[in-house]
Amino acid sequence: MQAWLKVGCTVAFVGVLALSGCKKKHDAAAPASDQAAAPAAASPAPAAASAAAPAAARFDIANVPMSTAELPPFPYIDWPSGLIDGHKFVKSSEFDRIYVIAGSQLLPVEGRYENRHFMNSDAKLSDLAAQRNYEAVIKALGGVKVSTMLPTNPAMLAQNNNDLGDLVVNKLRAAMSPDSYDYYLIRKPEGNVWIGLLVGGGYTQIITVTEGQMKTVVGLVKADDMQKALDEKGHIALYLNFDTDKAAIRQDDQPVIDEIGKLLDKAPTLKLSIDGHTDNVGDEKHNQQLSKKRAEAVAAALIAKGVDKSRVRAEGFGASKPIADNASEEGRGKNRRVELVRVAA
């Protein structure tokens, strides 16, 4: 029985899967449902479909060409047709941090996320057929394979304190034990899409992340509210929208800096420790350093506004002082914070 996968307005056969296009096209090379098929081009074929990311010691996203394909709605690729709901396993989040393999690097990516997997036998596919057909669909959407290293490689493990379990389960989010870890990048002017294709052991897993910023759900804390919290508790948590693995103050966080400046103007004897905190995802030492740099960035922004440098100091605690459970994205979001702490006179 022929399995189908629809991702667009009409259907083009690619072995057992299908992708978006404007005409129907049959693949005569796939006589059986578990037969791996050569990729068939969508119409029109995107320029990036057959490109390959150059091998390099350090991954450079600029070397990956932009896709000209029109992407279907998130998560872009459907389940194989005939796969019943009871055989579909999926986790999703409007915002999360996932790690991908790009070149020989382990990179954190944040944005909208979906992680789905299924047993290949339930879709009447062999492991190879599932892999080949998904490869064809991803490439037809302009995806370029960017991974050049397996997580078991010593160089990759060294980036994660040689902890393979943490790398595979917590960072790469592998559901089982795949034989292949292939990561693709679809570069679009409106944002990057990362797709992980993990196949082996009788199952297929598709991990999709559309890069983007978390929608702010916490209102701006005013200077008076900061003062009240400092008077009552001695500290207050603030949430700034730092870019992934970065410490630069973003323009949309300038209002927060302005309110801290107002707080210090109104209380000329107040001294603050600016404490940076992260969640527990990633290397412990790196998180501590990142949290310190973010705290230092806040302090530097205040000093640039005219605050005396003797009134602010920066500390970084990494993930050592969580205020919520790191097992959920909601909890991790609460732990990624900058705290203002009153310093005793």
Side-chain angles (χ1 to χ4, degrees):
M1 185 177 83
Q2 185 83 346
W4 298 44
L5 184 104
K6 296 183 290 182
V7 300
C9 56
T10 56
V11 176
F13 294 103
V14 185
V16 297
L17 307 180
L19 51 99
S20 59
C22 300
K23 297 180 180 179
K24 291 186 177 181
K25 181 176 181 179
H26 292 269
D27 184 353
S33 63
D34 68 345
Q35 175 69 40
S43 178
S50 61
R58 186 164 185 82
F59 177 72
D60 185 355
I61 197 170
N63 291 330
V64 179
M66 287 285 183
S67 168
T68 59
E70 181 178 352
L71 298 185
F74 182 89
Y76 315 114
I77 303 172
D78 205 347
W79 303 90
S81 137
L83 189 67
I84 64 175
D85 288 345
H87 293 158
K88 300 175 182 178
F89 304 92
V90 61
K91 292 183 178 180
S92 62
S93 175
E94 287 301 310
F95 184 82
D96 205 345
R97 179 191 297 163
I98 312 299
Y99 283 74
V100 301
I101 299 175
S104 58
Q105 291 178 258
L106 184 66
L107 295 182
V109 180
E110 292 185 353
R112 189 177 181 185
Y113 156 75
E114 181 168 296
N115 187 341
R116 57 171 63 179
H117 72 272
F118 59 89
M119 299 303 298
N120 293 328
S121 59
D122 291 333
K124 297 181 172 57
L125 296 170
S126 68
D127 288 2
L128 183 61
Q131 183 174 23
R132 291 288 184 264
N133 281 276
Y134 268 104
E135 285 175 352
V137 171
I138 295 169
K139 289 180 179 179
L141 293 178
V144 175
K145 184 180 175 183
V146 295
S147 55
T148 61
M149 186 174 288
L150 290 172
T152 51
N153 188 290
M156 180 62 63
L157 282 172
Q159 299 178 51
N160 198 58
N161 290 329
N162 293 312
D163 189 338
L164 180 61
D166 174 66
L167 174 58
V168 170
V169 176
N170 297 325
K171 291 188 173 62
L172 299 179
R173 307 288 181 94
M176 298 184 190
S177 299
D179 298 320
S180 62
Y181 293 78
D182 296 332
Y183 288 86
Y184 294 82
L185 172 59
I186 303 175
R187 286 190 71 201
K188 300 287 289 181
E190 60 271 26
N192 298 321
V193 176
W194 300 83
I195 299 178
L197 174 59
L198 284 59
V199 182
Y203 85 101
T204 294
Q205 183 174 1
I206 305 294
I207 300 172
T208 304
V209 186
T210 299
E211 283 189 33
Q213 298 297 321
M214 182 174 65
K215 295 180 180 179
T216 301
V217 296
V218 180
L220 176 65
V221 180
K222 298 291 187 177
D224 290 344
D225 296 322
M226 295 180 189
Q227 183 67 69
K228 183 178 179 181
L230 290 171
D231 290 342
E232 294 177 354
K233 302 178 182 178
H235 62 91
I236 182 172
L238 302 176
Y239 294 89
L240 286 77
N241 296 314
F242 289 103
D243 289 328
T244 304
D245 209 33
K246 303 295 183 183
I249 300 294
R250 289 160 46 99
Q251 187 61 39
D252 54 359
D253 282 327
Q254 193 58 48
V256 179
I257 302 300
D258 292 342
E259 291 300 316
I260 302 173
K262 292 177 184 178
L263 166 69
L264 290 165
D265 285 342
K266 290 181 178 181
T269 62
L270 176 63
K271 293 184 178 181
L272 293 174
S273 175
I274 301 171
D275 297 352
H277 301 268
T278 69
D279 58 29
N280 69 343
V281 178
D283 177 72
E284 180 179 349
K285 182 178 180 180
H286 177 75
N287 283 341
Q288 190 278 325
Q289 293 172 339
L290 178 62
S291 65
K292 178 70 177 295
K293 289 179 180 178
R294 288 177 171 177
E296 289 173 340
V298 174
L302 292 169
I303 293 170
K305 290 178 65 66
V307 174
D308 191 299
K309 63 181 181 181
S310 66
R311 299 182 63 195
V312 290
R313 72 186 190 199
E315 301 286 350
F317 295 93
S320 65
K321 295 186 176 183
I323 58 174
D325 189 350
N326 276 304
S328 69
E329 175 51 33
E330 181 181 0
R332 292 191 292 272
K334 291 180 178 179
N335 290 331
R336 296 190 294 266
R337 68 198 189 278
V338 171
E339 287 198 0
L340 305 183
V341 181
R342 178 189 290 276
V343 177

